[in-house]
Amino acid sequence: MRVLTPYPGTGLFRRVEAEGRIVHRDWDLYDTRHVVYEPRGMTARQLEDGYWRAYRDFYRWGALWRGAATHERPGDRLRHLAYAGGWKKFERVWDALIRTRQVLHALPLLETALSSFGARRPVRSRPPQRATIAA
């Protein structure tokens, strides 16, 4: 779920800029979560408020549990919850780690958590059986 963002150098940016609808050039806000242009038919604030309301509804715990329940294996359900919950419910923490260039310190923890859930064991194949012929 993202907000349409007219990135500099794109046709969309040139068109929206030519129409005088770019509201600022704070490049830190060109992140698909903030509205950086004046949309048609509503204000930038209305669009951004609607985005965050939909985001909260879509990523509430009940919705994450229902998404996890679509997986057949319990390990895959846990991986879904670990990833979706860990990313979406702690997004501000991840954002702070990324912006302060500390995310690499958390990477081993994230990789360990995700790799341990839902790991599939190799399927053991049986040796071919010989056909017996009755005399």
Side-chain angles (χ1 to χ4, degrees):
M1 180 176 311
R2 300 286 179 222
V3 172
L4 177 68
T5 302
Y7 289 110
T10 65
L12 178 61
F13 183 89
R14 286 188 292 275
R15 182 170 54 90
V16 173
E17 183 180 42
E19 294 169 356
R21 295 191 298 134
I22 297 291
V23 295
H24 62 75
R25 295 179 189 272
D26 180 352
W27 306 124
D28 285 339
L29 297 179
Y30 279 68
D31 61 1
T32 71
R33 293 174 182 204
H34 296 89
V35 180
V36 296
Y37 64 97
E38 193 66 40
R40 291 188 178 131
M42 67 177 70
T43 67
R45 174 82 334 214
Q46 288 171 320
L47 177 57
E48 195 167 312
D49 288 348
Y51 165 78
W52 287 112
R53 188 173 41 256
Y55 185 94
R56 283 188 305 274
D57 288 347
F58 190 80
Y59 292 113
R60 66 186 188 280
W61 279 112
L64 297 178
W65 280 102
R66 279 193 302 281
T70 64
H71 297 282
E72 187 175 313
R73 296 171 30 124
D76 292 339
R77 290 179 189 155
L78 285 173
R79 184 186 351 220
H80 181 103
L81 284 174
Y83 179 77
W87 182 253
K88 296 302 179 184
K89 291 301 188 180
F90 300 101
E91 194 162 358
R92 289 187 175 147
V93 173
W94 288 111
D95 188 52
L97 289 171
I98 291 166
R99 290 184 185 272
T100 60
R101 301 181 191 267
Q102 300 297 314
V103 74
L104 290 180
H105 297 293
L107 194 56
L109 172 67
L110 180 63
E111 288 173 340
T112 300
L114 292 178
S115 68
S116 65
F117 289 115
R120 291 190 166 80
R121 294 185 195 118
V123 176
R124 293 185 183 185
S125 60
R126 296 181 187 182
Q129 296 180 348
R130 294 182 180 214
T132 55
I133 301 175

